[in-house]
């Protein structure tokens, strides 16, 4: 512990903290993997070129290239040459969930809870502000997002589970009228939201959560900021609880002996 | 460019009309591109036609434009169901997203796209957080392209923060609390420094029934004087004395 660790000192240290030159390749890979797990990048989607990727992520071209090599070796992207060539997402159906489970299993419960707290703080603050700022057109747009497309199953083919709730909360975040909150929500959504998709894959979770979103729209429409905040927090807690159960299952030590006859 | 206006509301609306007039000048090159319904243009042809037009608009330092371009209506092009030929910022960076399909599905229901196509008239959307394009708090001006057979919208974005500088003095000259509101009565810019952009201040200012009032506790619920900016879904409002 440094001798001078006043809050002011801590804030000053944050200004001059390293920008993180190391591990950039890994971070680029993680970003793309998060995009795939969140269902933002779908099977067959073309990725930007190395140069575009480097420029949009703010890394060197060689870093982007190395990241693509890593993704290719994991079978998550493939590269085609020629006129219609490029790098494409390759994701056999179902694999997205495995990708997310791997990520969840690799996290600690502390990290998972902390992520949920951050996500909940942003999403619920946005909801609170939205209740102050939304007009009738905004509420109508929110409700349209929740209306099932005619004849569609809970999650239409090729669409990530939880997409409806995720899109709803993104629109809600934008209604806060805060560009910063909205950007932060988008960032967290590819992070925590991709984990939540695991919970949404179960219709027994997804259906009541969609109803909860309808209640959120109602609270926002009635101009009830406290209720809107409370309902969003309830969603995040329910999602976190599901993820912790799944996390425990994934990280459970194998049964002591195959002959112990543990019943399930 | 900005014509002589009679009222303060007209003078303030002049900014938006100047941008929309410039977008209106795109009709020549764009109509030519879509002249033959049997030969719809490709993305590449549209991009080539729009890029210099957008670049010229972005170069107008007096207008503080953050982004500009053309957004195609569904199936207006030959090689893609949806397309945005849009450039942003001083470096005129091309707006590129990973999944144009999803992008189209998303922009197809945005106010800045649907209203001009359905009404056939110029529209001003916002302020709103534009998480599709600028990632900033934005006002978008759009104009339908293609007359009776609309093929898309031409548009330009301006950041709400830039408008503070553009209108601040003009508004204060009208009334110390004069406020520019959009069609829903939402604040775009106000001379009242305590009144945040985005606040719904004057819902119903367009309604003919009765005198509009400030919403809730804003300005003590005062009756409002509302002066519409002609041809635009905008008004300057301030408390009646």
């Amino acid at each position: 512990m440094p001798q001078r660790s006043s809050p002011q000192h801590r804030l000053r240290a944050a200004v001059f903290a390293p920008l993180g030159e190391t591990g950039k390749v890994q971070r680029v890979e993680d970003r793309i993997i998060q995009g795939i797990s969140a269902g933002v990048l779908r099977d067959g989607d073309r990725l930007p070129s190395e140069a575009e990727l480097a420029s949009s992520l703010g890394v060197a071209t060689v870093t982007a290239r190395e990241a693509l090599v890593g993704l290719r070796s994991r079978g998550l992207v493939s590269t085609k040459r020629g006129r219609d060539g490029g790098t494409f997402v390759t994701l056999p159906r179902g694999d997205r969930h495995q990708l997310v489970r791997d990520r969840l299993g690799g996290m600690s419960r502390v990290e998972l809870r902390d992520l949920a707290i951050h996500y909940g703080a942003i999403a619920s603050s946005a909801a609170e502000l939205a209740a102050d700022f939304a007009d009738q057109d905004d509420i109508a747009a929110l409700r349209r997002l929740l209306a099932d497309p005619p004849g569609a199953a809970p999650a239409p083919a090729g669409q990530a589970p939880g997409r409806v709730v995720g899109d709803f909360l993104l629109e809600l975040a934008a209604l806060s009228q805060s560009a910063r909150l909205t950007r932060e929500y988008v960032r967290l959504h590819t992070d925590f939201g991709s984990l939540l998709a695991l919970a949404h894959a179960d219709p027994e979770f997804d259906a009541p959560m969609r109803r909860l979103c309808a209640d959120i729209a109602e609270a926002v429409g009635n101009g009830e900021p406290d209720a809107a905040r409370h309902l969003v927090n309830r969603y995040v807690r329910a999602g976190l609880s599901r993820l912790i159960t799944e996390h425990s299952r994934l990280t459970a030590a194998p049964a002591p002996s195959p002959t112990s006859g543990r019943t399930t | 460019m900005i014509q002589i206006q009679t009222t303060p509301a007209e003078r303030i609306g002049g900014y938006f009309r100047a941008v929309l007039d410039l977008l209106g000048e795109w009709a020549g090159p764009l109509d030519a591109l879509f002249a033959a319904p049997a030969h719809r243009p490709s993305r590449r042809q549209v991009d080539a036609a729009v890029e210099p037009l957008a670049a010229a608009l972005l170069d107008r330092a007096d207008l503080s434009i953050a982004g500009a371009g053309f957004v195609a209506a569904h199936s207006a092009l030959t090689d893609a169901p949806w397309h945005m030929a849009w450039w942003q910022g001083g470096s005129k960076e091309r707006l590129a997203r990973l999944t144009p399909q999803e992008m189209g599905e998303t922009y197809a229901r945005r106010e800045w796209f649907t209203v001009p196509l359905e009404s056939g008239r110029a529209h001003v959307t916002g302020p709103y957080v534009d998480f599709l394009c600028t990632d900033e708090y934005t006002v978008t001006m759009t104009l339908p392209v293609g007359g009776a057979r609309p093929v898309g919208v031409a548009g330009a974005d301006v950041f709400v923060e830039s408008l503070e500088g553009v209108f601040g003095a003009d508004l204060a000259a009208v009334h110390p609390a004069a406020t520019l509101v959009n069609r829903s009565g939402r604040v775009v810019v106000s001379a009242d420094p305590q009144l945040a952009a985005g606040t719904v201040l004057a819902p119903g200012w367009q309604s003919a029934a009765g005198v509009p009032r400030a919403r809730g506790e804003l300005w003590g619920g005062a009756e409002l004087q509302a002066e519409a900016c002609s041809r635009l879904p905008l008004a300057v409002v301030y408390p009646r004395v």
Side-chain angles (χ1 to χ4, degrees):
Chain A
M1 172 75 73
Q3 288 193 328
R4 290 178 58 220
S5 64
S6 66
Q8 193 52 47
H9 192 70
R10 173 68 186 81
L11 294 176
R12 191 183 151 82
V15 173
F16 299 107
L19 289 172
E21 280 304 317
T22 55
K24 276 200 174 164
V25 173
Q26 187 59 48
R27 287 172 63 198
V28 173
E29 281 189 46
D30 286 349
R31 273 286 188 84
I32 308 280
I33 291 173
Q34 273 176 23
I36 296 173
S37 358
V40 177
L41 300 179
R42 296 196 268 189
D43 192 29
D45 279 349
R46 180 207 291 265
L47 293 183
S49 72
E50 277 172 10
E52 286 166 344
L53 199 60
S55 128
S56 78
L57 292 168
V59 299
T61 310
V62 61
T63 308
R65 184 176 308 141
E66 270 187 63
L68 290 178
V69 168
L71 291 167
R72 212 171 289 133
S73 72
R74 297 172 67 166
L76 292 171
V77 303
S78 69
T79 299
K80 275 192 286 189
R81 308 225 168 265
R83 193 165 169 275
D84 292 319
T87 299
F88 299 85
V89 175
T90 46
L91 189 72
R93 192 166 285 281
D95 264 13
R96 180 188 296 135
H97 275 150
Q98 197 46 52
L99 216 54
V100 181
R101 278 198 195 87
D102 289 348
R103 183 163 155 251
L104 181 63
M107 292 173 88
S108 67
R109 273 204 305 277
V110 169
E111 190 186 0
L112 181 59
R113 280 213 173 85
D114 209 27
L115 185 55
I117 287 169
H118 190 182
Y119 181 88
I122 298 301
S124 66
S125 294
E128 182 181 332
L129 287 163
D132 277 334
F133 283 110
D135 63 29
Q136 289 317 305
D137 291 343
D138 297 330
I139 306 303
L142 281 179
R143 293 218 165 100
R144 269 199 302 279
L145 284 175
L146 296 174
D148 279 322
Q159 182 171 308
R163 169 86 185 275
V164 170
V165 173
D167 283 358
F168 174 87
L169 290 173
L170 172 58
E171 294 282 347
L172 189 65
L175 294 184
S176 70
Q177 313 291 316
S178 164
R180 278 178 183 253
L181 262 188
T182 309
R183 286 195 293 263
E184 189 66 357
Y185 177 79
V186 168
R187 206 177 64 73
L188 284 164
H189 182 66
T190 51
D191 202 349
F192 190 60
S194 61
L195 296 174
L196 281 174
L198 277 183
H200 280 284
D202 179 358
E204 301 226 340
F205 178 79
D206 190 58
M209 291 305 119
R210 286 185 188 216
R211 287 197 293 276
L212 186 62
C213 287
D215 293 345
I216 295 169
E218 176 93 20
V220 170
N222 292 339
E224 298 168 343
D226 292 344
R229 167 181 282 279
H230 175 77
L231 289 166
V232 169
N233 278 325
R234 190 192 296 174
Y235 165 68
V236 177
R237 275 199 304 272
L240 174 64
S241 165
R242 282 265 173 160
L243 289 177
I244 285 181
T245 306
E246 178 71 5
H247 180 269
S248 303
R249 201 182 63 76
L250 289 170
T251 54
S257 138
T259 56
S260 66
R262 181 154 67 150
T263 53
T264 51
Chain B
M1 196 68 233
I2 296 174
Q3 302 116 37
I4 297 155
Q5 308 290 351
T6 47
T7 70
E10 292 304 295
R11 196 160 53 244
I12 287 158
Y15 167 83
F16 296 95
R17 270 192 298 276
V19 175
L20 287 162
D21 285 349
L22 288 170
L23 290 172
E25 291 171 12
W26 297 12
L30 288 177
D31 286 349
L33 209 53
F34 289 94
H39 298 283
R40 292 174 293 163
S42 67
R43 281 177 290 187
R44 193 182 294 261
Q45 286 172 307
V46 167
D47 289 353
V50 175
E51 184 167 12
L53 301 172
L57 203 52
L58 288 165
D59 276 339
R60 285 283 301 261
D62 57 327
L63 298 175
S64 304
I65 297 298
F70 168 79
V71 181
H74 189 251
S75 299
L77 307 193
T78 181
D79 57 349
W82 301 103
H83 186 58
M84 282 188 93
W86 199 269
W87 283 265
Q88 299 193 140
S91 56
K92 304 178 186 68
E93 199 174 312
R94 177 67 201 273
L95 178 76
R97 292 287 155 139
L98 301 171
T99 55
Q101 180 64 33
E102 268 191 341
M103 178 89 181
E105 288 162 11
T106 314
Y107 79 60
R109 58 187 170 76
R110 299 285 153 191
E111 180 184 332
W112 51 261
F113 182 72
T114 57
V115 172
L117 284 184
E118 281 162 17
S119 69
R121 301 176 55 183
H123 191 60
V124 178
T125 305
Y128 68 108
V129 178
D130 173 19
F131 56 81
L132 288 182
C133 301
T134 62
D135 257 352
E136 287 291 349
Y137 203 40
T138 304
V139 169
T140 301
M141 296 154 273
T142 39
L143 198 63
V145 176
R149 204 172 41 83
V151 292
V153 302
D157 288 330
V158 61
F159 294 154
V160 179
E161 62 174 21
S162 316
L163 292 178
E164 269 177 26
V166 174
F167 300 130
D170 276 344
L171 283 167
V174 176
H175 186 280
T179 302
L180 180 69
V181 296
N182 72 4
R183 68 167 182 175
S184 335
R186 195 185 283 285
V187 175
V188 182
V189 191
S190 180
D192 174 355
Q194 299 292 344
L195 191 58
T199 306
V200 179
L201 169 71
W205 67 265
Q206 304 193 68
S207 124
V211 179
R213 283 182 174 276
R215 187 176 66 101
E217 288 164 17
L218 296 163
W219 292 350
E223 288 193 345
L224 299 175
Q225 183 70 37
E227 294 174 10
C229 307
S230 64
R231 293 192 286 136
L232 294 169
L234 296 169
V236 173
V237 303
Y238 48 92
R240 283 194 174 198
V241 189

